[in-house]
Amino acid sequence: MSALYYGVAYYDEYMPEDRLAKDIALMQETGINVVRIAESTWSTLEPQEGEYNFYHIDRVLDAMHTAGIAVIIGTPTYAVPAWLVAKHPDILVTTVDGQQKYGPRQIMDIVNPTFRRYAEKIIRTLMAHVQHHPAIIGWQLDNETKHYDNIGRYMQEGFVHSLQEQYSDLAQLNKDFGLDYWSNRIDSWQDFPPVENTINASLACAFSRYQRQQVTEYLAWQAEIVREYALPHQFVTHNFDFEWRGYSYGVQPRVDHFAAAQALDVAGVDIYHPSQKHLTGREIAFGGAITRSLKLGQNYFVLETQAQGFAQWTPFPGQLRLQAFSHVASGAAMVSYWHWHSIHNSFETYWKGLLSHDFSRNATWQEATTIGADFARLSPQLAELKAENDVALLVSNEAMDALNQFRPGDAQGNIYNDIFRRFHDALYDHNISVDIIHDINEETSRYRTLVIPGLYAADDGLLERINHYIEQGGRALIGFKSGFSDENVKVRSSTQPGILHRACGVSYSQFTLPEETTVASCNAAIDCSKDNQAELWMELLMPDSGTRTLLRYQHPAWGEYAAATDADYGQGRAIYVGFLPQKTLISQLFDALTSDLDLHSRTSAYRYPLVTKKMRNRDGRGIHFLFNYSGEPLDFISETSGKALLSGDEVSCGQPLRLKAWEFSIIES
Amino acid sequence: MSALYYGVAYYDEYMPEDRLAKDIALMQETGINVVRIAESTWSTLEPQEGEYNFYHIDRVLDAMHTAGIAVIIGTPTYAVPAWLVAKHPDILVTTVDGQQKYGPRQIMDIVNPTFRRYAEKIIRTLMAHVQHHPAIIGWQLDNETKHYDNIGRYMQEGFVHSLQEQYSDLAQLNKDFGLDYWSNRIDSWQDFPPVENTINASLACAFSRYQRQQVTEYLAWQAEIVREYALPHQFVTHNFDFEWRGYSYGVQPRVDHFAAAQALDVAGVDIYHPSQKHLTGREIAFGGAITRSLKLGQNYFVLETQAQGFAQWTPFPGQLRLQAFSHVASGAAMVSYWHWHSIHNSFETYWKGLLSHDFSRNATWQEATTIGADFARLSPQLAELKAENDVALLVSNEAMDALNQFRPGDAQGNIYNDIFRRFHDALYDHNISVDIIHDINEETSRYRTLVIPGLYAADDGLLERINHYIEQGGRALIGFKSGFSDENVKVRSSTQPGILHRACGVSYSQFTLPEETTVASCNAAIDCSKDNQAELWMELLMPDSGTRTLLRYQHPAWGEYAAATDADYGQGRAIYVGFLPQKTLISQLFDALTSDLDLHSRTSAYRYPLVTKKMRNRDGRGIHFLFNYSGEPLDFISETSGKALLSGDEVSCGQPLRLKAWEFSIIES
Amino acid sequence: MSALYYGVAYYDEYMPEDRLAKDIALMQETGINVVRIAESTWSTLEPQEGEYNFYHIDRVLDAMHTAGIAVIIGTPTYAVPAWLVAKHPDILVTTVDGQQKYGPRQIMDIVNPTFRRYAEKIIRTLMAHVQHHPAIIGWQLDNETKHYDNIGRYMQEGFVHSLQEQYSDLAQLNKDFGLDYWSNRIDSWQDFPPVENTINASLACAFSRYQRQQVTEYLAWQAEIVREYALPHQFVTHNFDFEWRGYSYGVQPRVDHFAAAQALDVAGVDIYHPSQKHLTGREIAFGGAITRSLKLGQNYFVLETQAQGFAQWTPFPGQLRLQAFSHVASGAAMVSYWHWHSIHNSFETYWKGLLSHDFSRNATWQEATTIGADFARLSPQLAELKAENDVALLVSNEAMDALNQFRPGDAQGNIYNDIFRRFHDALYDHNISVDIIHDINEETSRYRTLVIPGLYAADDGLLERINHYIEQGGRALIGFKSGFSDENVKVRSSTQPGILHRACGVSYSQFTLPEETTVASCNAAIDCSKDNQAELWMELLMPDSGTRTLLRYQHPAWGEYAAATDADYGQGRAIYVGFLPQKTLISQLFDALTSDLDLHSRTSAYRYPLVTKKMRNRDGRGIHFLFNYSGEPLDFISETSGKALLSGDEVSCGQPLRLKAWEFSIIES
C-alpha cells in the first residue's frame, strides 16, 4: 500500500459485447490501478454441478496483469446458482416471512451444512485454479455478508445449543430473561419454542447476537479456506456494509464488524451516501471511522462507493473528487467504484458505474480521470495517513438490539442509529474528529473524551469500566437510556442510570415523552435560545448534591426536573443528558465538557459545511484537508501554514482562502 | 363492597428479587386493600404437564391475609405454557394470517377440545389447592378473553353446524344472505366453503356473531368450573376490555359484553386512556357506562387501569387522583392498577406500574397514597353509588360488524366506533350522563330519551320496538344509516330508513359523500355558524309532510335536501340526522329534542372541561362530582349546596368555586 | 346497430322479490332497449355438478322478448361455484401472495385444464339451451378477464415451454436477458427456477407478456366454443376494462387488448370514472379511443358504466346525460349501466344501479329516462358515428411492464400509466382528438402526428418504423426514456435514445432526478413562465448539430443541457422531451410541432372544461359535440354552423352560445 489504490469492480461476465481491451485502455486513461472481480458469479464459474468455466477470470487476470492493473478476487458465494437451489431447495434461508424464494442474492442459509459443502467446493476450485496468478494482490471473502434474518432450523438449534452451554440450569435462564412473564417459562430444553415470535426482548436480543456470531464464524471459515491457498503477500479482506436506508445510514445491525474483522488482514467496506445538494460527507466520515477502528487504526479499503450511482446521485461537477479525497482523509487506502460500467439488464441497471450504458467518456468519467492522476501524483504524501484522535464514540450492537426492542413512543425503525447519527453528526459538523470503539479497555485511556449515546444494554463490567475511565480523568458525554438494562436486557432494579449513577451524579425514577417540550439553560456557556427542543425521550432527572444542572425542561408539570447534568467524578467529569438534543446543543454540551482541554480531535474553529480533517502521513507531516461541502463558495482564514498539495502554493496561517462550490484543499504542514 | 376497593395486580413470579414483605409494607402505606394475582402464570403453576408448583400463590395468599389485603385469583388460562404448545401445536389459533406462532399471550384456539381439556385441568387443580384460603374474595375468569379472530377448523365447523340448526333449507339461507351474487350460492352443506375470504357481508357478519358467541360460551364454561369450588361469599368476575387503539377506544368488536356478562356476579373491566394534556375522562365515562349497564346498574370493578403506564402517560400532578375519582363517579366499586411494580423483562417493560423498576417512592406513588387514604376515609359516602340516568345510548355489535363491512368512502378501521364515540363524547362534553344499552325492552321505558348512532343492521323487531318506544312518549335522536339493513345485513327494499321511516317521518333514496359540505340551520334554536361540516356520509333526506326540517345541506347540487329532521310520532318525537355532525351540533340537536324535558341526566349547565357527575349514595344522598379536566384553573358558580367531602367545607348554591389544574371536588347534598 | 343501444345489466337471480314484470315496465319507461344477463351466475345455473337450472334465464329471455328488449348473454365463467372449488381446490389461482381463497370472483387459474373442462361444459350446456331464443342479439365471453397474476404450475411450465420454443440455445437466453448477473444464469432447462421472485426484469417482463398471451388464448378458446352455437346475426363481444385505481385509470397491464380483441366481432368495455366535481370526461375519452381502435375504428359497446355508482359518484343533475353523450361522441354504439337495480347483499351493495335498493323513481333514474328518449329520437343522426383523427398516441404493454420495473426515483405503482395519462390528458384538455395505437405499420401513414410517451422497451423494428414514419413526413412528439431498451429490456449500448437518436437528433449519456428543477424556453412560441416544473425524470440532453433546443433546465449544475429539442428528419420533424412536463407545456410542445398543420384532430380553439368532439355520421354529416365539463355556465362563440339536435335550433358560426353547468350541445353541420 505504498500508493493509493484507485479501483473499480469489473465484470467481464456481464458485458453485452467483448469490451476487455477497450475497457482496459480506458481504465489506464482513468488512472485505475486495481479491479475487483468474480464475487457473485458462481453460476458462471460453475454452470452445472462440478462443471467449471474460468474463461472470464483467466482472460481478465491476464489482461489486467499485462496492463499493470492489480486484481482482487472475491469468492463467489453470495449468490447461488439455479441448479443448486433446484437440487437443494433447503439452502434458501427462512426468515419470519417464510423461506426466501429464488431470485435475489444473499438469500442462502449460511449455517446450512449443504450450502457450506457446495460453497467450500467452489471456493477451493477457484482458489486452486488462480492462486499463482501474479495479478492477484488479495482476496475478498464473500460480499456484504449478513445473517439474512435467518430463523431456520440450524440457526434455532444452534442458538438453543449455545444457551445450553451457557446455562446448565434453565431456572437461571428463566430468571435472567424474565420468562415467567406471560407464561413464557421454559422448563425443559425439549420444549424450547421457536424464538421468531417471542415477546421477550431478552430472548430476542440473545438470538440476534447469536445470529451475528454466525456471520463472524462464517467469514472466519471462509478465511481459513482461502488462506490455505493465498500467497504471503496477498491480503484477505471483506466488504462490510452499514445499515441501509437507501444509503449507508448507521451501525450494521446484522454483523458485529469488530468481531468479524478479526479474520481479516485489511478491513474493507462500502459506503454509499446522498449526493447532489444532499452531499454532506457525514457517511464517509462515520463509515471511515468505524472501518478504521476495526483493525486498530490501520488504513482500510473502500471497496465500493458510488460513481454515478442512482439517478438521484449523479454527481454535480466537483463532487466525485470531493468524495474521493474525503475517503482518503478518513484513512482509506483505496477508493474503488461500484462499478466500471453500467449493467444492461437486471436489478442494478440504474445503479450506474463510472461509464454509462453507452461506454462513452461522460462528464463523471472525465472528473474521475483527474482523481486518478492526483492519486498517482500525491500518493507519496497521502498514502498510509494515520488519524490521531483523542475523542471516541462508543457503539454497541447489543445496545442497538435492546433499544430497538423498546423504541420510545411511536419511533419506527432502527432508532439506535438515529441517535448514533445525531451524536456523530453533531461532532462532525463541529469539526471534532472521532474514532469509533465498541468496548472500553486499556487502549481507551488514550482518548481524553468519550461520547456514549444510547448504551441501553450493557453488562456491569462495561459500565464499571466507563466509571473507571472517568474516575481516572476521562471525560464522558452520556446519552439518555444508557445503563438502564443489563446484558440480558433486564432492566436494573437499582437507581437509574444504573452503575453510571455513580459517575454521573444524577438519578431518575420516572420518564416520559416530550410533547413540544423545550429545554432552558442553567449555564452561561450554553445558549438554548434556539434548537432547544427535547426530542424522542425525556428522563426526569434529579441531580445528586454537588452535581451541576446544565439544562432544565420548560414544562408546566416537569419544570422542576433537570434535563442535563454535569458532575465531577474522581479525576474526571461526566455530562449526562436525559433527552435527545438537536445537533447544535450536543456540540455545546461537548464544548462545556471539554473547553478546558486541548484536543487533537478538535480540528478547527470552522463549522460545517467547511469540514476539516487533520491526519499524519508516513513522513510524520501533518496533512490538513479543507472540504467545502456546499454549492456556494466559502471564504475563510487559514488556520495552518504549509504547502497546498493540489496547487503547489505555499499557504500561511491567517491567509484568506477561498474554496469554490464542492472544492477542497490539502495542506501539508 | 361496603368500602371502595383500591388495588393493584401483583406478580411475585416476575420479581427480580424477593420483595414480598417490602411490597406489602409499601402497599399498606399506599392504602391498597386488594390485589389481583395468578392470571397468565400457567407456566409457573404447571411447569411441566401434571407437575404443579403453588409456591408463589401460597406465599402471596398467606402474606396478604396477614396484612389484611384481600386477593382476587385469576384463572391462568390466557397464556399457554411452552410444553403444551410443543405437545399440541394445534391449540394455537388460526386466523386469516395463518396459524399464530408461539410467543404472545391470547393466541389459543378457545374452541379446541384439547386446549379445553388442559385448561380445565389447571383450573380445577388450582381451585382445589387454594379454594379455602381466607384471603380470597373472588375469582377472575381468564383475562380480556376474545375469540382471537379464530377461523380454525372447530370454529368453521361449529359455525356451519349453527347455520344448519337455524336453516333446514339452504335455499332460504341463499336468499337471506343473497348468496347467488357472484356465484356464491351453496347448494349442499358439504360444499360449505371456508368463510374467511368471503365477499358476502351477511355471511361474514353471521360468522363474526358466532365467534362472539364462543367467547360467551367459553366464559360460561369457566364460570361453571370455578363455581364448583368457589365459596358462597366469593364473586366471579371477568376483566373485559374495549376496542384498542393504543387505549380503550370503543365498543369491543370481538365480545358481546352484554351476553358474556350473564355468567358473572360482578362485571369487571380495564380502562386505559390518553393522559397528560390529552386526558379528558371520556374513556372513563363510556367504559364505565357500558360496564355499569352489564349487570343492570350494579357497581363494577375497574380491575385494571393505568398507574404510570406508557411513557407518554406518566401522569401530571393531580391526574392520578382525578382519574380514580372519575371511575368512582361512574359507579366503580374498585380502582385497581396495572400494576404494582414495573416489569424488568419482556413485553410490558415500558408499561409502568405504580412503582418504577427501582421500587422507589416516586411522585406517582406518592399521589396514590392520597387516593388510598381518601378512599378509606370517604367510603361511607362513596361506596355503592348509583346512577339515575334517564338518557341512554343504544349500541350493537351486529350494527358495528355490518357498518364496518360497508364503510363510507375511504373510511378505515372501526368506523362504527368513531361514530359511537362522536355521539357519546358530544353528550359527555355537554354534561349529559348516559347509560349504554344494547336492546329495547320493557326496562327501556325508564329512559326519557334514546340516542341511536349507526344502527345499520337490526331486525324488524328492534326497529318496531324503537318506534313503539317513541310512540309511547319517548324521544330519540337517530343517526344516519340506522335501519338500513336487516339482521342478515340485507338492505331493506322498503323506503329508507326502513321501519324507522314511520317514527322519523323522513325518507331517502339516494346518498353521497360530503366533500367540503356544510349544513345550514332551519331552526332558530340551532346555530350552524361554525362547526357545521357534514362529515363521512350524507343522506339526501326528504321530509314527510308534517316533519320539520332542522338542517339543510349547503351545496349547489343537493341544497334542496334536508340534512336533519324532527317529527312527532304518537306521544313522542324523533330527530333523524343524515350525516355525521360535529360534537357541538350533536349537542344542539339533543337540546332541540329535549329542551322541554327536566332530565336527571342533564347534570349541569357547565361544559367540558368542567365535567360533572351526579350519583346517589346508599344513604340516599346526592353526590356531585366536579372535575376540572384541564391544565388551567377553572372558576365557576356552584349549582349545588352541600358539603365538600375532600375539604369538609360547606358549599352553597351560587357560591363561586375554583378548581385548580386537574383538581376536583365532591359535594354531598 | 342502426340505433343506439341503451342498456342495463340485469340479474333476476339477485332480486329480493319477484320484480320481473315491474322492472320491465320501468325499463320501457326508461327507454332501455338491451339488457345484459347471466355472466357470473354459474352457481345458479349449475347448483351442483351436472344439475342445471335455467329458470331465471328462460323467464328473463321470454319477458324481454315480449317487451321488445334485446338480450346479451354472458358466459358465466368468471365466478366459480363452491362445489367446484370443494371438489377441485387446485383450480384457484396461485399468485405471489399464495393460492387465492374462495370467496371473490376472478380467482381461477384460467390455464388449469380442470377449470377449462368444467367451464367448457357449462358454456356448452347454456348455449345449447338458449341458442335459438329470438331475444338474443349477442354473446359476451366471460367478463373483465385477466390473468389474475397467475404464477401457478401451468403458467410457469407453459412459460418455460414457450421460451424453449423461442430459444434452442440457453446461452442466447442468458445473453439476451443478462442472466449472468448475480448468478442468475440458467444452464439447463431442468433448473429453470420459478419466475415469481426474479430480480431480472427481462425475465419478469417476458413472463408478464406470456401471462397476457394466455388471456388472449383463453378468450379465443371461449369464442370458438360460443361460435359453434351462435347464430350468424349475433355478435361475440367481451367486456374489457382498464387499469383500476378506484376507477378506469389507464392502459390495462394484464391484458393485451389489441391481441385479445382479434377473437371478437365487437369490442366491449367498461368505463368508470370520478364524478361530481371531479368529472372531466378524460376516462370516457381515452377508454373510448382505445376501444374504438381495437377493431379499426368500428363502433364499440360500453357494456358497463356507472349509473349512481359509489356514494361519491352519485351524479349531480345533468352529469348522467353528459356522460352518456360523451360515450357516443367517442364512437360508442351502446351505453349500458352497471346495473339496473342496487344489490341488497354482498360486495357491491354500495355500487348503486339506476334504481336504489327501494326501486323508486329516484332523481338519477328520472334523468336516465331523458337519455333513453333522446337516444331513440336522435339515433338516425348519432348511430354509427366515425372518428376522423389524424393524431395518434402510441401505447405499449411491453413498454409499460419494462418502465414499471425501473420506476424513476421513488415513483410508485403503474408509473407508465401516469405518464400516458399526462400526455393523453394534455391533448384532451387541448381539444386534440386522438386514436390510440399499439404499433406502427402501413395504416399509420394516415396519421400526421404521433405522440409517443415512455416507449421504454421496443425492438429495433418498431424504432426503425418510427424513424421511417418521420422520415416520410410524419411528426412525432417523443417522451423521455423512449428507445432506451430493447424488446428483452436490455438497455441499448448504443448512444441513447437508441435508434431514435437518428430521427430526434439528440443524445444523452447521463440522467438524474429533477429536484425542484424548472425549465426555461429557448423558443419564442413556448411560454415557460409557469407550469414549468420538470417532473419525475431528467435526461441531460445534448443536441446534435442542426437540432434546435426548445427548452433548457434551470439548474446550477445542469444548466448547460437541453431539456427538449426539435429536429428535422427527412420530410418530417421530431420533438424529443427529456422530462415529464406539465400538461400545458405538453400542449405547447404539440403546437410547436404541428402549428403549421391543418389537423382534423384539432377540434377547437377552446380549452377544457369546454370539450368538443367532431364525428362523421353515416349520412356523411359532421356531428359537433360541445360539452361543458364544469359546474359553472360557459359562454363562448360557436365555431360551427348547423342544427342543434337537442333543441332543434339553427346555430351559425360566430353566434354566442351558452352551456349551463354540465350541459352539452350537439350540432349537425
Side-chain angles (χ1 to χ4, degrees), chain B residues 246-267:
Chain B
Y247 60 94
S248 307
Y249 184 80
V251 176
Q252 172 56 258
R254 291 174 178 81
V255 184
D256 182 335
H257 282 173
F258 292 89
Q262 300 305 310
L264 310 177
D265 299 313
V266 184

Side-chain angles (χ1 to χ4, degrees), chain B residues 455-457 463 481-486 490-493 496-498 508 511 539, chain C residues 349-350 357:
Chain B
L455 187 67
Y456 179 66
L463 301 185
K481 275 183 167 289
S482 295
F484 199 72
S485 77
D486 70 13
K490 183 186 278 295
V491 174
R492 289 184 161 82
S493 54
Q496 292 295 358
Y508 64 95
F511 43 74
E539 292 162 356
Chain C
T349 299
Y350 283 86
H357 301 93

